[in-house]
Amino acid sequence: MTDIPITTAEAVVQARSDAHRAAPFVPLPPAAARLVTLAGVVVTVASTFMSWTYTTEFPGDLTVSGYPGGLQVLTLIGAILTGVIALGAFRVKGLAWLNPSRSNNGVLLLALGTLGTTWYTVIDIAAKLGGMANLDPGGFVAAIGSLLLFAGALALPIDRHPVEPADAEYFELGRLSGNGPTVGAYRWLREARLNHSDLPVGDARRLNPWLQRLAVVVVYAVGVKIFTYGVATNYSDIFIGYLIVVSFGFLGLGATGLLRQFRQITQHNRRFSTAIGVLAAVAYPFAQNNEHWANLGVSILIVGTVALGLNIVVGLTGLLDLGYVAFLGVGAYTAALVSGSQFSIWSGTQFPFWAAALAGMVVACIFGVLIGAPTLRLRGDYLAIVTLGFGEIFRIVVRNLDGVSGPKVTNGPNGIAQIPDVSIFGYNLGDQHSFGSFTLGRFANYYLLMLVITLIVVLVFTRAADSRIGRSWIAIREDEIAATAMGINGFRVKLVAFALGASLAGLAGTVFAHVTNSVVPDPYVFSGSVPPNSAFLLAAVVLGGMGTVSGPILGAALLYLIPAKLDFLARYELLAFGLALILIMRFRPEGIIPNRRRQLEFHEDAATASDQPGTPGDDTVPVGAAGA
Amino acid sequence: MTTTIPEQPSPQGAPKGTALLEAKGVIMRFGGLTAVRDVSLTVGSGEIVGLIGPNGAGKTTFFNCLTGLYVPTEGTVSYRGTVLPPKPHLVTQAGIARTFQNIRLFANMTVLENVLVGRHTRTREGLLSALIRGPGYHRAEARSRERAMELLAFTGLAGKAEHLARNLPYGEQRKLEIARALASEPGLLLLDEPTAGMNPQETRATEELVFAIRDQGIAVLVIEHDMRFIFNLCDRVAVLVQGEKLVEGTSDVVQSDERVIAAYLGEPFEGAPADEAEERENDR
């Protein structure tokens, strides 16, 4: 991948404007800074081959010398990644392509991730096992090595945010008013902000097409591996280390420009990368043979798909729907009623799955229209409150249709249990099936079924978003008055969005009912500690990125996995939830995967820099169908 | 000034050609405030008609009555002989497009997408056809894009099709609003202060653009404060003061009307705010 033309690289150097600031945090001669960084890498890597603690009580067994285990692996990966990116930043021959933006920011962020996970491990050992005495020399070496690495990275020239004129004025005022220390601290924080979004990177689309495809395959394979690793962690300690490494790895690779180049490639080879993305998602249940992980996969796909449906309503059309989970419930209950369960009032009727799915969609769509028709005349906060109300009404009505308080339809709080497994063409999804050396269990089967549904929803989302109706949704979101003045029947278009969103949730609900074997009214609340609930879905959309395909799926995956893996969070889940949302609103309001439009909306200063012509159709409908 | 002043019986004052837009006795009240009092206005096909008046005279309110954003308290608005329903999207469908005084583009859509939204009423593809994507869908989409690019070329924005609307300079945003309005294939275009905030060159360019639009057979009704612009451009000018139509006629008739001058100088009307147009008038 070294054959990015020289001319591009030169243009990159020249394109760095004078306005750009790059300064180290720690003053050191450049050569010394590089040396310290690399020394830190070497020491940290070496430490992972030592024993960190005496006892095997700490999760992951860190007692073995000779090969890394548990959290040591994460430190090792972090350190190697940092080292490689650092070599790229130092323009070492043959490795320069690893750091296309030529920025040291990636090194700093990765070093911070390595430091974080290493120190977390060391402190965790000391805290869990009762004191520093439990640390082997290896633990100290690791702590010192990662600190050295971080210190070295701090001494490298770091690309900073340009100083804003308003800031300068404020600092001057602060100095004059005698609030020196406060303003000084604020000033340090403002000037410490990293900025690498406007650094030019070479055009990856000029690479050899086969190399591009290879890159796509490798990245998706690594993606599946990373995802599977996260799902497979069986201790919350390891999962925290994993989270630290993955998030700083993501930020660090973003700073190197590699992610931008990868996006160029996936857009350039859209069909190919979509196909590989689907393949990667299909490979997930085959890559491991663990029903628990497959169950996590199904749950993530279900909430991700529902979040994607909500994204049509919230992300594209701009209608805040706080009762969306009710449509999932409508789909689930419809499927349960026609499933042939003995608790259903129609226990004799058993629809084939396709008919049940269709029924779930249609009934959810009808409910969408029924609820949408009166409420969509309201705007903004009023709509949000009314949808919140309807969401609760659904749950309470379902609770009461038990034959005592109301007609017997849903069996009240007991719900409809013993929903039989889906059977498609004689393939019973409830049974274990073997294909050569692969075995697919019940949840793996449902995972594959749900994947098909997710792909359908992704297809519906992308096609609808990029069409006359999708444009009118976005127009309504942007300016409803102007949209109606352009001839858009606002109410009708919003109703279509609402009904479509409802039917997609209903579709996912039909699978949800079968996977969980039973439907009860309780999960369909506005906010609760167990997904799916409306607040969870909304958070997934906002966290992942409004208006994108992969955003809500990724958001749902994170919001589902994190509480599932960190059992100690259980009591504080809602608190953590709120905190995460506040942080994301403060630091990345466009979500993890930004829609190009949204990003420009929230970061106006970067607007002109990144909106060069010639990059049309950016991330509004991105590839990479599955979040894997 | 509560009585209606009849139209000037001037031969040039009558609308040319057949009447396209006919507003009869439009009254708009907001609670106790009457913003538009019994205004009648006719726009003939192929005409450029100006609507002037001091700030707060009710010009934009009148515009909103014409385009269905407001439902007039009394009076009717008809287009090509049919009374218009008070729904903005139906008015646009009937063939009246408009721009806004404070630019209302879809800021986070590209320039091309903005114009494509304007094509909404002239295309039929619904959700189902977008999902199935048959040949008909692709044909319609291609036609829309082609037409939108033509309009962008017409307004001089073809090179910026993939830019976000919010990143365009002010003058180009105004042009884009016009292109977006033209995309709905209107018979009548309503422009609400199309040159506000423009420099003299840009104003002249807009003038030429409006003439070019007229030459395509589209009638234009324009609100403007720039008197030179209005009097160069318009076949007829109507003056609105405190919600009432003071006078209507050719540029000469309006310019020489004492009441108009008085209205702009602010003497007989209490509370009529001063504006730039007044200053420009003074400069003459």
Side-chain angles (χ1 to χ4, degrees):
Chain A
M1 278 204 238
T2 44
D3 57 335
I4 294 174
I6 303 291
T7 45
T8 328
E10 274 167 3
V12 165
V13 179
Q14 281 171 2
R16 287 197 169 202
S17 58
D18 300 333
H20 204 88
R21 299 192 310 133
F25 283 96
V26 177
L28 262 188
R34 292 177 175 197
L35 205 68
V36 173
T37 311
L38 294 179
V41 171
V42 172
V43 173
T44 313
V45 168
S47 77
T48 61
F49 291 90
M50 301 173 171
S51 155
W52 287 14
T53 177
Y54 299 106
T55 56
T56 50
E57 280 166 45
F58 191 77
D61 192 4
L62 310 183
T63 61
V64 187
S65 300
Y67 67 89
L71 280 155
Q72 289 174 332
V73 177
L74 292 166
T75 298
L76 178 66
I77 291 171
I80 289 179
L81 202 58
T82 317
V84 171
I85 296 299
L87 291 177
F90 305 157
R91 320 312 295 165
V92 173
K93 248 195 177 63
L95 291 177
W97 63 271
L98 282 165
N99 200 338
S101 75
R102 309 184 140 220
S103 167
N104 293 313
N105 291 16
V107 182
L108 180 64
L109 288 166
L110 287 165
L112 192 57
T114 312
L115 179 82
T117 190
T118 309
W119 279 65
Y120 165 73
T121 312
V122 170
I123 292 171
D124 198 32
I125 292 173
K128 269 222 168 114
L129 304 182
M132 302 257 287
N134 291 292
L135 285 173
D136 256 355
F140 291 105
V141 174
I144 291 165
S146 57
L147 198 60
L148 209 59
L149 170 58
F150 183 58
L154 279 178
L156 297 169
I158 299 300
D159 295 299
R160 309 289 184 84
H161 211 276
V163 178
E164 284 153 39
D167 275 0
E169 241 168 74
Y170 176 79
F171 299 147
E172 184 59 20
L173 273 174
R175 199 180 56 78
L176 293 174
S177 68
N179 291 324
T182 324
V183 173
Y186 177 67
R187 176 175 194 162
W188 188 87
L189 278 176
R190 292 289 283 181
E191 292 184 352
R193 284 181 300 163
L194 306 188
N195 177 39
H196 35 256
S197 60
D198 56 343
L199 292 177
V201 296
D203 191 347
R205 284 168 295 192
R206 295 195 207 168
L207 277 173
N208 181 324
W210 288 105
L211 274 181
Q212 293 190 22
R213 280 172 207 162
L214 182 70
V216 172
V217 173
V218 169
V219 170
Y220 277 124
V222 171
V224 172
K225 186 71 209 152
I226 293 174
F227 182 73
T228 320
Y229 186 93
V231 170
T233 52
N234 35 12
Y235 296 102
S236 40
D237 309 85
I238 299 182
F239 191 73
I240 288 177
Y242 165 82
L243 273 188
I244 295 173
V245 171
V246 168
S247 24
F248 279 97
F250 185 73
L251 290 174
L253 292 181
T256 61
L258 280 174
L259 293 185
R260 252 189 290 168
Q261 286 193 329
F262 181 66
R263 192 178 295 171
Q264 287 174 350
I265 291 178
T266 50
Q267 264 153 27
H268 197 56
N269 307 282
R270 185 161 285 202
R271 270 163 202 270
F272 180 78
S273 33
T274 311
I276 295 296
V278 172
L279 214 63
V282 171
Y284 171 74
F286 293 99
Q288 34 79 14
N289 187 14
N290 185 320
E291 276 294 89
H292 180 59
W293 303 353
N295 187 8
L296 274 178
V298 187
S299 307
I300 289 172
L301 276 186
I302 289 174
V303 285
T305 307
V306 181
L308 195 54
L310 179 62
N311 201 13
I312 293 179
V313 181
V314 174
L316 292 181
T317 323
L319 306 168
L320 186 52
D321 185 350
L322 298 181
Y324 188 69
V325 80
F327 299 123
L328 179 76
V330 170
Y333 266 99
T334 309
L337 285 173
V338 298
S339 68
S341 156
Q342 53 171 319
F343 295 97
S344 157
I345 42 164
W346 304 308
S347 55
T349 46
Q350 180 166 11
F351 281 25
F353 179 70
W354 64 267
L358 210 63
M361 264 180 96
V362 170
V363 175
C365 181
I366 292 170
F367 271 83
V369 172
L370 284 181
I371 293 175
T375 57
L376 287 175
R377 297 175 194 280
L378 301 169
R379 287 188 192 180
D381 306 351
Y382 304 103
L383 176 69
I385 297 294
V386 171
T387 51
L388 177 68
F390 270 106
E392 288 297 294
I393 288 172
F394 167 77
R395 184 173 58 90
I396 293 164
V397 165
V398 163
R399 269 183 86 91
N400 286 293
L401 293 180
D402 57 357
V404 180
S405 327
K408 187 173 170 67
V409 182
T410 62
N411 220 9
N414 296 327
I416 300 169
Q418 291 182 26
I419 297 171
D421 279 308
V422 173
S423 173
I424 298 171
F425 298 123
Y427 182 98
N428 191 324
L429 270 64
D431 299 339
Q432 209 170 47
H433 295 264
S434 292
F435 300 91
S437 58
F438 298 109
T439 308
L440 291 182
R442 176 169 185 272
F443 287 114
N445 291 329
Y446 276 110
Y447 174 88
L448 292 176
L449 174 66
M450 195 55 219
L451 189 63
V452 173
I453 304 262
T454 305
L455 291 178
I456 291 171
V457 172
V458 167
L459 195 74
V460 168
F461 182 91
T462 47
R463 290 202 159 179
D466 175 33
S467 72
R468 171 175 174 269
I469 191 99
R471 283 192 297 267
S472 59
W473 288 338
I474 299 169
I476 293 267
R477 185 190 76 198
E478 293 285 309
D479 188 332
E480 188 163 352
I481 289 178
T484 50
M486 288 304 115
I488 294 171
N489 184 345
F491 175 69
R492 186 160 143 191
V493 166
K494 284 194 281 186
L495 193 60
V496 170
F498 209 72
L500 180 65
S503 356
L504 297 182
L507 179 61
T510 56
V511 181
F512 184 59
H514 286 281
V515 173
T516 51
N517 274 137
S518 67
V519 286
V520 282
D522 289 335
Y524 307 106
V525 288
F526 169 66
S527 106
S529 53
V530 190
N533 52 64
S534 294
F536 175 92
L537 295 170
L538 202 62
V541 173
V542 172
L543 182 83
M546 284 202 258
T548 62
V549 174
S550 37
I553 297 178
L554 180 70
L558 284 177
L559 289 180
Y560 194 90
L561 262 189
I562 293 174
K565 287 290 170 188
L566 304 179
D567 7 320
F568 63 87
L569 258 184
R571 280 167 58 202
Y572 307 102
E573 191 175 317
L574 285 173
L575 180 72
F577 225 64
L579 213 61
L581 277 182
I582 290 172
L583 288 177
I584 200 113
M585 280 296 114
R586 170 62 188 82
F587 293 105
R588 205 176 163 93
E590 68 275 18
I592 296 170
I593 296 183
N595 174 316
R596 180 179 46 122
R597 296 189 180 109
R598 286 269 159 182
Q599 180 146 42
L600 293 166
E601 196 176 330
F602 287 119
H603 299 279
E604 245 174 288
D605 45 346
T608 37
S610 53
D611 187 48
Q612 298 300 335
T615 53
D618 208 353
D619 200 29
T620 316
V621 180
V623 279
Chain B
M1 301 293 286
T2 46
T3 51
T4 320
I5 287 134
E7 283 183 26
Q8 297 292 304
S10 140
Q12 294 144 308
K16 288 196 294 191
T18 53
L20 206 56
L21 175 84
E22 263 188 301
K24 277 191 203 139
V26 171
I27 299 177
M28 186 71 217
R29 284 196 202 93
F30 297 105
L33 177 86
T34 308
V36 176
R37 297 175 197 202
D38 198 15
V39 174
S40 299
L41 186 75
T42 310
V43 181
S45 55
E47 245 191 334
I48 302 178
V49 177
L51 188 61
I52 62 171
N55 280 347
K59 304 181 296 292
T60 298
T61 308
F62 181 60
F63 250 43
N64 288 346
C65 290
L66 295 184
T67 53
L69 277 178
Y70 294 159
V71 183
T73 319
E74 278 174 47
T76 57
V77 181
S78 48
Y79 178 76
R80 292 191 202 272
T82 358
V83 175
L84 287 172
K87 287 268 194 301
H89 66 273
L90 295 178
V91 170
T92 311
Q93 181 141 29
I96 300 180
R98 71 170 291 176
T99 66
F100 291 89
Q101 183 177 356
N102 43 346
I103 299 175
R104 301 192 86 134
L105 287 171
F106 307 122
N108 296 307
M109 297 175 90
T110 66
V111 168
L112 179 65
E113 284 171 331
N114 264 278
V115 182
L116 285 173
V117 170
R119 297 270 314 153
H120 191 88
T121 48
R122 304 301 165 218
T123 40
R124 282 282 150 272
E125 284 62 46
L127 180 64
L128 221 57
S129 104
L131 296 184
I132 295 164
R133 304 237 156 159
Y137 172 85
H138 287 289
R139 258 201 309 279
E141 198 76 342
R143 240 196 336 266
S144 275
R145 272 169 205 276
E146 195 185 324
R147 179 78 190 119
M149 286 310 292
E150 276 171 29
L151 284 169
L152 287 180
F154 177 68
T155 47
L157 293 171
K160 300 208 165 180
E162 293 300 333
H163 284 238
L164 284 195
R166 68 179 309 132
N167 292 343
L168 291 186
Y170 188 79
E172 291 184 348
Q173 293 199 359
R174 287 255 178 232
K175 279 186 187 167
L176 176 55
E177 249 204 331
I178 294 176
R180 186 180 68 176
L182 287 176
S184 67
E185 293 169 14
L188 172 67
L189 181 64
L190 308 185
L191 302 174
D192 198 345
E193 298 199 23
T195 71
M198 282 187 175
N199 64 30
Q201 285 96 325
E202 287 173 327
T203 305
R204 244 189 320 279
T206 308
E207 213 171 284
E208 268 149 38
L209 183 62
V210 175
F211 277 128
I213 291 168
R214 198 260 313 264
D215 292 343
Q216 294 193 344
I218 298 169
V220 179
L221 177 60
V222 52
I223 293 179
E224 190 46 76
H225 279 309
D226 186 332
M227 293 301 152
R228 209 162 289 155
F229 177 81
I230 280 285
F231 291 132
N232 278 346
L233 200 66
C234 298
D235 300 315
R236 272 185 307 127
V237 177
V239 184
L240 219 58
V241 175
Q242 290 207 333
E244 290 181 66
K245 192 164 81 176
L246 199 61
V247 52
E248 182 184 343
T250 59
S251 304
D252 298 333
V253 173
V254 171
Q255 266 173 302
S256 56
D257 195 296
E258 283 174 11
R259 289 168 303 173
V260 176
I261 297 168
Y264 267 92
L265 289 179
E267 188 196 22
F269 300 104
E270 277 183 339
D275 59 23
E276 346 166 314
E278 190 177 302
E279 286 158 26
R280 283 200 211 103
E281 283 295 284
N282 284 338
D283 289 345
R284 293 193 171 191

